């Protein structure tokens, strides 16, 4: 607790240097495709932090979380693309995405207030699928979402009128679009981390933990469990909505298949694997699970070439196999997650009953 | 607050039903300020339903007047602020929070830091074990210690009336004895207690008055001493 102020400043400066230099190191060392992977990792980190509020803090198992990502993404796509001829600026659409996703969070939360565990998981799973199926089918009789074709030519995100999709020269330094998006995403991810850490430490955060532990006792302590649960759903959803809007502007294309159940499961894996309820763990989980499949995709072929002289197994199927194996190993040897909070580590290390 | 002659808690025609099956068939009783009242009866007699209805955890019909205010329209989380604290059945401690954090959650609805500090000291004096174990996770305490913690947490809300639901449940006999010692000590500080308990003898030996419940009705009401001597009670509930 008594870290000298100078060390804190030094640490922050170090993190700032590393985060600013990262795209250059990755881009020059491994190519800009990997900076793109990094951009996606940051989006996943934002998603994982949002889901962590619902699952990690409040203990409400949500299997349809990707729906809020979809809502944010489609809202951006509809308001900033030639589809409706609307070209709203990102700084207006992104907060609106957070708001609308938050409202949908309440919409999902309100009828499920009495549900917990498996039952809640089933309802949220259904909700996620309903949103995806709606997006898939809302192209007739009135074409709203353009159905399975998705919406293309979405406006890139602009900061002070500068589109982040085009390379930029600053003081002779060449910054490709993926670098510019990286910096924007890093800033927003840091913002979300800050908000999450403050929330965890607040009255609301303690109320979330209390309802996670025992709802009746939480009520007896004077916690308005209904409002506190709805707030968890709304906060988590709004993070997802922001990430979704960023995704749409970054990809310049959205279609329903980006928001499948598999994506919800993936984000949940990030939270559980990293360390449920522990912000640094969740960030680590998001980063690893976003980067690992890509590393396996690109690495599986060449490694086989090197070992056996030819590619024995299709890298794509091997990737899923190894990914599954990695999940099993982590859960076997670190059941509380890769980087759990001190409390959870204690809980899992105590001998069984 | 309460004027003389008006009981602290007055329940009139309380009815609870689970999907058409009546668990409480219109019971009425009262608890005076400063006394300890026991609600005894067999399994399924409606004791826990009564407490849950009082704590607004179950939809109920009838009137619940507490310090002159009708509680029937209030949500359960508003009760602690009115001075009514529930220690739930099965204790309900926040297992993955420390003992100290559990106690501070008990004061969640309060906004008087000085008063909270004073009450924490009072609770530590009453329950020294909680102070010794303040950094331990509540889930790692023994059953008896968890019951003490649930009691301490309820006291942190500075209640006028404590509702205790089966405090002896699942505890070793020695622990039951200790928990009831603590309940007596709490009552001695001036907190009114309504105790629901299957262990009828222990409950009547601890309380000053008692109600006997059977199939959703109150069938006997008397002082604890007279109930202990009543042949019907002795035969049905004290196993004699």
């Amino acid at each position: 607790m008594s870290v000298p102020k100078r060390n804190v400043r030094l640490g922050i400066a170090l993190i700032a240097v590393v985060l600013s230099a990262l795209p250059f190191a990755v881009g020059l060392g491994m190519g800009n495709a990997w900076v793109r992977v990094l951009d996606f990792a940051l989006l996943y980190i934002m998603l994982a932090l949002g889901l962590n509020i619902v699952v990690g803090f409040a203990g409400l198992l949500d299997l349809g979380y990707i729906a809020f990502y979809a809502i944010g993404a489609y809202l951006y796509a509809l308001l900033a693309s030639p589809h409706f001829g609307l070209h709203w600026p990102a700084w207006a659409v992104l907060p609106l995405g957070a708001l609308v996703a938050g409202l949908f969070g309440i919409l999902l939360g309100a009828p499920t207030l009495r549900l917990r565990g498996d039952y809640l998981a089933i309802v949220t799973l259904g909700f996620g699928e309903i949103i995806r199926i709606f997006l898939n089918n809302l192209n007739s009789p009135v074409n709203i979402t353009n159905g399975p074709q998705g919406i293309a030519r979405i406006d890139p995100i602009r900061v002070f009128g500068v589109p982040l999709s085009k390379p930029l020269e600053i003081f002779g330094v060449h910054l490709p679009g993926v670098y510019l998006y990286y910096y924007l995403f890093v800033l927003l991810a840091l913002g979300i981390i800050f908000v999450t850490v403050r929330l965890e430490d607040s009255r609301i955060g303690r109320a979330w933990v209390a309802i996670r532990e025992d709802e009746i006792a939480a009520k007896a302590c004077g916690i308005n469990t209904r409002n506190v649960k709805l707030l968890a759903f709304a906060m988590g959803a709004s993070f997802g909505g922001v990430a979704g809007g960023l995704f749409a502007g970054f990809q310049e294309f959205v279609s329903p298949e980006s928001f499948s159940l598999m994506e919800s499961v993936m984000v949940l894996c990030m939270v559980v694997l990293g360390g449920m309820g522990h912000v640094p763990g969740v960030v680590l989980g998001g980063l690893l699970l976003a980067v690992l499949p890509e590393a396996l995709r690109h690495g599986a072929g060449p490694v086989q070439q090197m070992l056996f002289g030819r590619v024995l197994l299709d890298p794509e199927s091997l990737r899923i196999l190894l990914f599954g194996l990695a999940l099993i190993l982590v859960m076997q040897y670190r059941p509380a997650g890769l980087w759990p909070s001190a409390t959870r580590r204690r809980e899992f290390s105590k001998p069984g009953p | 607050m309460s004027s003389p002659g008006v009981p602290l808690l007055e329940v009139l025609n309380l009815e609870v039903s689970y999907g058409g099956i009546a668990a409480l068939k219109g019971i009425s009783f009262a608890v005076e300020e400063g006394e300890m009242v026991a609600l005894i009866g067999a399994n399924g007699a409606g004791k826990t339903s009564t407490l849950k209805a009082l704590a607004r955890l179950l939809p109920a019909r009838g009137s619940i007047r507490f310090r002159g205010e009708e509680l029937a329209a209030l949500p359960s989380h508003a009760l602690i602020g009115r001075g009514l604290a529930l220690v739930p059945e099965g204790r309900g401690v926040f297992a993955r929070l420390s003992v100290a954090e559990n106690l501070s959650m008990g004061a969640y609805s309060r906004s008087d830091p000085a008063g909270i500090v004073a009450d924490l000291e009072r609770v530590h004096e009453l329950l020294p074990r909680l102070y010794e174990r303040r950094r331990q996770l509540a889930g790692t305490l023994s059953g008896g210690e968890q019951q003490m913690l649930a009691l301490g947490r309820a006291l942190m809300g500075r209640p006028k009336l404590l509702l205790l639901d089966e405090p002896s449940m699942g505890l070793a006999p020695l622990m039951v004895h200790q928990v009831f010692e603590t309940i007596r000590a709490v009552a001695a500080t001036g907190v009114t207690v309504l105790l629901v308990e299957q262990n009828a003898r222990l409950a009547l030996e601890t309380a000053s008055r008692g109600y006997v419940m059977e199939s959703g009705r109150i069938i006997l009401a008397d002082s604890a001493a007279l109930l202990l001597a009543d042949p019907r009670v002795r035969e049905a509930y004290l196993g004699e």
Side-chain angles (χ1 to χ4, degrees), chain B:
Chain B
M1 278 289 216
S2 54
S3 45
V6 178
L8 184 67
L9 175 76
E10 193 172 20
V11 176
L12 276 176
N13 292 321
L14 195 65
E15 287 178 39
V16 168
S17 48
Y18 297 100
I21 298 161
L24 286 186
K25 299 164 184 165
I27 64 165
S28 302
F29 65 95
V31 179
E32 302 282 345
E33 188 147 12
E35 65 176 350
M36 188 187 318
V37 175
L39 218 52
I40 62 168
N43 243 340
K47 308 183 303 285
T48 290
S49 293
T50 307
L51 271 208
K52 282 196 170 157
L54 292 184
R56 303 287 303 118
L57 294 168
L58 278 180
R61 275 181 305 177
S63 155
I64 305 163
R65 292 191 76 78
F66 179 65
R67 302 167 83 195
E69 188 185 7
E70 181 58 53
L71 295 188
L74 289 177
S76 55
H77 63 83
L79 297 179
I80 185 74
R82 304 267 193 308
L84 191 102
L86 170 76
V87 178
E89 190 178 0
R91 305 181 276 275
V93 297
F94 303 124
R96 281 181 281 184
L97 298 187
S98 70
V99 168
E101 285 168 326
N102 265 273
L103 288 178
S104 82
M105 284 311 298
Y108 185 84
S109 60
R110 294 172 61 182
S111 50
D112 55 330
I116 293 173
V117 171
D119 281 352
L120 184 62
E121 271 175 30
R122 210 162 57 94
V123 167
H124 280 157
E125 248 168 62
L126 208 59
L127 304 156
R129 187 71 67 87
L130 297 185
Y131 181 73
E132 289 163 28
R133 311 238 151 165
R134 62 194 180 280
R135 290 197 188 86
Q136 202 170 320
L137 292 189
T140 64
L141 298 178
S142 76
E145 289 167 337
Q146 288 189 14
Q147 187 65 56
M148 307 266 190
L149 177 57
L151 209 58
R153 188 182 59 195
L155 290 177
M156 288 303 293
R158 195 178 271 180
K160 291 271 173 222
L161 174 63
L162 260 183
L163 305 176
L164 301 182
D165 199 352
E166 303 277 7
S168 78
M169 192 197 256
L171 298 184
L174 194 67
M175 258 304 160
V176 172
H177 180 72
Q178 279 189 29
V179 165
F180 272 78
E181 278 304 310
T182 311
I183 294 171
R184 279 191 202 106
V186 168
T189 64
V191 180
T192 312
V193 177
L194 177 61
L195 170 70
V196 156
E197 184 55 63
Q198 273 199 53
N199 187 334
R201 181 185 299 279
L202 191 59
L204 291 177
E205 281 169 0
T206 312
S208 49
R209 246 169 10 97
Y211 292 95
V212 182
M213 292 191 73
E214 201 178 284
S215 347
R217 288 201 174 83
I218 289 176
I219 54 161
L220 281 173
D222 218 325
S223 78
L226 287 176
L227 283 177
L228 272 172
D230 190 301
R232 286 166 294 178
V233 175
R234 294 180 79 93
E235 190 184 346
Y237 303 105
L238 304 179
E240 286 175 13

Side-chain angles (χ1 to χ4, degrees), chain A:
Chain A
M1 298 299 113
S2 59
V3 183
K5 230 180 189 154
R6 237 190 65 225
N7 287 6
V8 173
R9 284 211 201 106
L10 205 69
I12 290 174
L14 199 69
I15 290 169
V17 168
V18 168
L19 285 180
S20 347
L22 196 60
F24 289 96
V26 170
L28 297 178
M30 301 193 285
N32 282 352
W34 279 98
V35 182
R36 201 179 157 72
V37 170
L38 219 51
D39 290 353
F40 272 107
L42 286 164
L43 289 178
Y44 275 117
I45 287 172
M46 293 181 215
L47 283 175
L49 285 167
L51 184 61
N52 179 52
I53 289 184
V54 184
V55 178
F57 292 168
L60 304 161
L61 185 51
D62 185 348
L63 284 184
Y65 183 69
I66 212 70
F68 305 120
Y69 189 53
I71 287 164
Y74 266 85
L75 196 76
Y76 188 102
L78 296 175
L79 295 178
S81 77
H83 183 62
F84 284 147
L86 294 172
H87 295 283
W88 288 28
W91 59 259
V93 184
L94 291 175
L96 190 66
L99 192 74
V100 172
L103 288 177
F104 270 90
I106 291 174
L107 206 66
L108 169 66
T112 57
L113 281 170
R114 287 163 182 277
L115 304 180
R116 285 197 83 85
D118 341 16
Y119 302 98
L120 180 63
I122 289 167
V123 175
T124 53
L125 187 150
F127 173 80
E129 284 299 282
I130 287 169
I131 296 287
R132 187 182 62 81
I133 291 165
F134 258 106
L135 296 175
N136 221 1
N137 292 294
L138 278 183
N139 53 349
S140 70
V142 186
N143 186 3
I144 300 172
T145 64
N146 209 23
Q149 282 94 30
I151 297 171
R153 289 187 294 138
I154 298 170
D155 300 348
I157 297 171
R158 288 164 188 273
V159 175
F160 299 117
V162 180
L164 300 186
S165 55
K166 296 204 171 61
L168 192 67
E169 293 282 341
I170 301 177
F171 309 122
V173 181
H174 179 76
L175 294 170
V178 281
Y179 286 40
L180 300 175
Y181 273 113
Y182 167 86
Y183 288 118
L184 176 69
F185 291 179
V186 160
L187 286 179
L188 288 169
L190 286 175
I192 284 181
I193 290 172
F194 178 75
V195 171
T196 311
V197 169
R198 294 308 300 264
L199 272 174
E200 186 183 12
D201 216 23
S202 71
R203 223 175 123 72
I204 298 290
R206 291 193 298 139
W208 282 335
V209 172
I211 60 167
R212 179 187 77 198
E213 296 296 314
D214 191 306
E215 213 170 317
I216 287 179
K219 278 185 190 169
C221 288
I223 293 166
N224 184 336
T225 53
R226 184 195 59 194
N227 290 2
V228 163
K229 272 192 193 182
L230 288 180
L231 194 63
F233 274 116
M235 289 295 307
S238 66
F239 288 6
V242 172
L246 295 173
F247 169 72
F250 176 51
Q251 283 277 73
E252 300 178 25
F253 171 73
V254 294
S255 76
E257 60 180 298
S258 304
F259 311 107
S260 63
L261 174 63
M262 195 53 211
E263 290 292 307
S264 284
V265 171
M266 196 70 179
V267 178
L268 185 65
C269 282
M270 293 170 177
V271 174
V272 175
L273 219 83
M276 237 190 312
H278 190 228
V279 174
V282 171
V283 172
L284 179 71
L287 183 67
L288 278 183
L289 288 203
V291 172
L292 192 66
E294 294 304 314
L296 291 173
R297 188 207 299 274
H298 294 290
V303 168
Q304 288 187 59
Q305 277 289 358
M306 214 169 67
L307 287 178
F308 311 114
R310 64 202 166 96
V311 177
L312 291 171
L313 289 165
D314 170 32
E316 196 58 24
S317 35
L318 191 63
R319 175 175 83 104
I320 303 296
L321 200 73
L322 290 176
F323 185 66
L325 189 67
L327 290 188
I328 292 171
L329 288 179
V330 170
M331 284 295 104
Q332 180 68 39
Y333 293 104
R334 296 196 65 93
L338 289 170
W339 190 356
S341 63
T343 310
R344 271 180 77 77
R345 196 175 313 130
R346 267 196 285 169
E347 185 192 349
F348 273 92
S349 63
K350 79 161 189 243

